[in-house]
Amino acid sequence: MSGIKSLVKDTAVYGLSSIVGRFLNWCLVPLYVYLFPSEEYGIVTYLYGATAVALVILNYGMETGFFRFANKEKDPESVYTTSLISVGFTSLLFILLLTLFLHPVADVMKLPGYSLFIWLMGVTVAVDAFSNLPFAYLRYKNRSWRFAGIKLMNVAVNIGLNLFFLLGCPAIMKHSPDAVSWFYEPAGGREFGIGWIFVANIISTFVVLLTLLPDVLGRRYVLVWSLLKKMLAYSWPLLILGVAGMLSQNMGQLIIPYLFPGDEAMARSMVGIYGANMKIAIVMVMFTQAFRYAYEPFIFAQAKGENKSKAYCDAMKYFIIFGLLIFLGVMYYLPVLKHFISPSYWSGLRVVPVMMMAELCFGVFFNLSLWYKLTDRTQWGMYFSLICFVLMLGLNIWLVPAIGIPDGYMGSAWAALISYAIVMVMSYFAGRKYYPLPYQTGRIAMYAAVAGVLYAGGMMMESFFPLWITYLLRGMLLAIYIGTVGFLEEVPLLSPVIRRVLRKFKNS
């Protein structure tokens, strides 16, 4: 149980940076969607999706490889420096190649007039890839508070720069133009538009790198070729897994512009609407990411313990419990949350429940991945990711044009849910063969059924009651879900209170 408590604590701390950070970035969405039309915001969403894939390529599984070999080798320091040298070299090579072939890359991405934006995001992602290893080192050393502090600082700088460039500079130009005109006007001023978002990104990324320098400098660098070969052999399937997985996660944003030739502007508009509404579903993504940060060091550390099976099964159960709670909370209060985006984007609200369930399935799939990571069968992760990628690609190519303009993005949402659900089930059955664990599937299925009934009931209330009464009743339904979990899981403090209430209700 102490392992689960440690996982919960680390998830909470990592979640502080992930959830608070993403929430603060989420608060920028209203700024973007009110300042820019969906076509321009679609470019931002599209480039973010492309750079997410590039980040996985530039990390090529070395993060997970570092955790594996740092816990396995006698000299963890040499594992760290070998990883840093390798990723540092490939990141610099990426920047050089992107600079040399920038215009052909822009043409392939169907953004011929936005090559500067592509270069800014390319350099940003290369620096991010290198910075991920010092962040991994902090996780390995259980320095979760420093990790969270730097992540939050990055968010604060990025938000501050966004507000300065998009709101502050135009206001200053009206009253004291000399204060900012020396850099603002040569860059294009207000006409530079979404470009300022990418400028804010690259500056905040370099600030993070400077902050991480104490974890990079002041050590004896050793490149152990034999170790690097073993790490690459372990990690290359994870690269395929990661690329296929990230392409799957961002398939909608990346593929929609290619599915409507001749209607590129409308396609970018759909990408913008899809991306803006996915920001509402990002609460599930934040929870999953926070859990992932803590879970990878946790599973390799628990591999040495006696009660590891119980710890792994409890982690799965509580992940699903909290994931279902987040789903209910977001869907119950979506009429409030939707105001984070402009009304012109509300046509895409239908993707929110579908994408939240897709992300929950993806989180369960990530939990199940421990069996092939612990048994060094990482090629299975590659198989699952490739299957997911093929499913996602095929379903997008079929569903998006079938639904057509302007709602084709719904095809991407359903493609994500179907694909993640299939690979989740496949991974579960494969894990039962190679690394069987006594997951409490009956209990988990019961919680899912309870959440499903409460969701259906909460959604029907809106047709019968005023909105304020609906919110009140939905809050009561959330309390019922929490009470059910607290009672059955015998949560300290909560369970005794529920038992007393039930006894009083029975006696009355």
Side-chain angles (χ1 to χ4, degrees):
M1 192 67 184
S2 61
I4 289 295
K5 289 180 180 178
S6 175
L7 176 63
V8 170
K9 179 186 76 70
D10 286 344
T11 300
V13 176
Y14 292 127
L16 175 68
S17 61
S18 178
I19 294 174
V20 175
R22 281 182 175 256
F23 173 75
L24 293 174
N25 273 323
W26 184 32
C27 292
L28 286 174
V29 174
L31 176 65
Y32 296 158
V33 297
Y34 279 98
L35 284 179
F36 307 115
S38 57
E39 180 185 343
E40 287 190 50
Y41 183 65
I43 296 172
V44 177
T45 303
Y46 176 53
L47 284 178
Y48 277 0
T51 51
V53 176
L55 181 60
V56 174
I57 296 173
L58 290 170
N59 270 130
Y60 45 93
M62 291 297 280
E63 237 182 310
T64 303
F66 165 72
F67 285 120
R68 179 59 171 167
F69 286 90
N71 283 283
K72 190 176 182 181
E73 298 289 322
K74 293 181 180 179
D75 184 13
E77 189 69 16
S78 65
V79 178
Y80 179 49
T81 57
T82 297
S83 305
L84 277 176
I85 293 171
S86 179
V87 175
F89 171 77
T90 51
S91 294
L92 288 173
L93 181 62
F94 174 79
I95 293 174
L96 176 62
L97 292 175
L98 178 63
T99 304
L100 291 174
F101 300 102
L102 182 58
H103 293 294
V105 169
D107 291 336
V108 169
M109 294 181 70
K110 292 188 174 294
L111 294 174
Y114 302 95
S115 56
L116 176 58
F117 298 168
I118 295 172
W119 187 85
L120 289 170
M121 288 303 290
V123 175
T124 299
V125 78
V127 177
D128 273 339
F130 179 77
S131 300
N132 276 349
L133 279 170
F135 276 124
Y137 185 75
L138 293 177
R139 290 160 61 196
Y140 169 73
K141 289 292 186 180
N142 292 321
R143 298 173 66 186
S144 52
W145 286 106
R146 175 166 166 75
F147 177 100
I150 297 175
K151 288 284 187 180
L152 287 174
M153 180 207 66
N154 176 36
V155 173
V157 172
N158 187 38
I159 291 175
L161 289 171
N162 267 276
L163 294 176
F164 175 68
F165 290 138
L166 297 177
L167 297 180
C169 286
I172 294 172
M173 285 294 293
K174 291 180 180 179
H175 304 288
S176 303
D178 292 341
V180 295
S181 60
W182 57 276
F183 76 87
Y184 189 65
E185 288 186 339
R190 187 187 288 270
E191 296 300 317
F192 195 49
I194 58 173
W196 293 114
I197 299 174
F198 306 123
V199 172
N201 272 334
I202 195 170
I203 294 174
S204 60
T205 296
F206 273 101
V207 170
V208 167
L209 180 61
L210 290 174
T211 310
L212 289 169
L213 285 181
D215 302 289
V216 176
L217 304 176
R219 59 185 74 247
R220 181 173 172 269
Y221 273 82
V222 177
L223 176 62
V224 183
W225 285 104
S226 58
L227 173 62
L228 180 60
K229 289 178 182 178
K230 287 191 291 184
M231 293 180 73
L232 291 174
Y234 175 83
S235 298
W236 78 263
L238 296 177
L239 168 61
I240 306 300
L241 180 158
V243 172
M246 194 56 67
L247 280 170
S248 299
Q249 287 184 51
N250 295 278
M251 183 65 72
Q253 299 97 301
L254 295 174
I255 199 171
I256 287 175
Y258 293 91
L259 295 177
F260 298 96
D263 285 309
E264 284 84 1
M266 195 63 202
R268 285 198 294 266
S269 177
M270 284 198 295
V271 171
I273 293 172
Y274 182 54
N277 282 279
M278 281 180 64
K279 294 296 183 182
I280 298 176
I282 208 169
V283 179
M284 190 69 78
V285 181
M286 291 188 287
F287 169 64
T288 303
Q289 183 175 349
F291 189 86
R292 288 177 66 180
Y293 279 142
Y295 193 58
E296 249 181 0
F298 169 79
I299 62 172
F300 290 121
Q302 288 293 317
K304 306 169 186 176
E306 296 180 2
N307 297 320
K308 55 186 179 182
S309 293
K310 185 179 185 305
Y312 297 150
C313 293
D314 285 346
M316 170 69 83
K317 180 177 65 177
Y318 288 115
F319 173 83
I320 294 174
I321 286 171
F322 282 105
L324 291 171
L325 177 63
I326 291 168
F327 174 80
L328 289 175
V330 171
M331 292 313 302
Y332 280 174
Y333 299 101
L334 186 58
V336 175
L337 296 175
K338 72 178 184 180
H339 290 284
F340 275 95
I341 60 176
S342 168
S344 61
Y345 288 75
W346 287 357
S347 59
L349 286 171
R350 291 168 294 170
V351 307
V352 176
V354 181
M355 287 307 302
M356 289 197 71
M357 289 309 301
E359 287 296 335
L360 182 60
C361 289
F362 178 76
V364 174
F365 170 66
F366 179 82
N367 271 268
L368 293 168
S369 70
L370 68 89
W371 70 262
Y372 58 74
K373 290 180 179 177
L374 290 176
T375 58
D376 289 345
R377 290 185 172 92
T378 51
Q379 69 272 16
W380 276 92
M382 177 182 67
Y383 301 153
F384 291 134
S385 287
L386 288 173
I387 291 169
C388 185
F389 169 73
V390 171
L391 284 170
M392 194 85 73
L393 180 62
L395 288 170
N396 268 275
I397 292 174
W398 172 40
L399 293 174
V400 173
I403 297 173
I405 295 173
D407 300 322
Y409 48 78
M410 283 303 301
S412 292
W414 282 110
L417 177 56
I418 295 168
S419 303
Y420 288 148
I422 289 174
V423 294
M424 175 187 72
V425 173
M426 291 176 65
S427 183
Y428 170 73
F429 283 106
R432 288 182 63 180
K433 177 180 179 181
Y434 292 104
Y435 198 88
L437 289 170
Y439 289 118
Q440 299 179 45
T441 50
R443 178 71 63 87
I444 290 170
M446 186 204 68
Y447 288 139
V450 169
V453 171
L454 294 176
Y455 169 66
M459 292 299 103
M460 287 191 295
M461 288 176 179
E462 202 166 341
S463 302
F464 299 99
F465 302 102
L467 202 55
W468 70 272
I469 294 179
T470 298
Y471 290 155
L472 182 63
L473 293 174
R474 286 175 176 175
M476 294 173 64
L477 293 181
L478 283 177
I480 290 173
Y481 177 81
I482 295 170
T484 302
V485 171
F487 177 75
L488 294 176
E489 299 300 324
E490 298 185 353
V491 176
L493 299 179
L494 184 59
S495 183
V497 172
I498 297 170
R499 291 180 187 278
R500 284 197 296 270
V501 171
L502 289 176
R503 279 198 299 268
K504 288 182 179 180
F505 181 78
K506 184 178 180 181
N507 293 334
S508 63

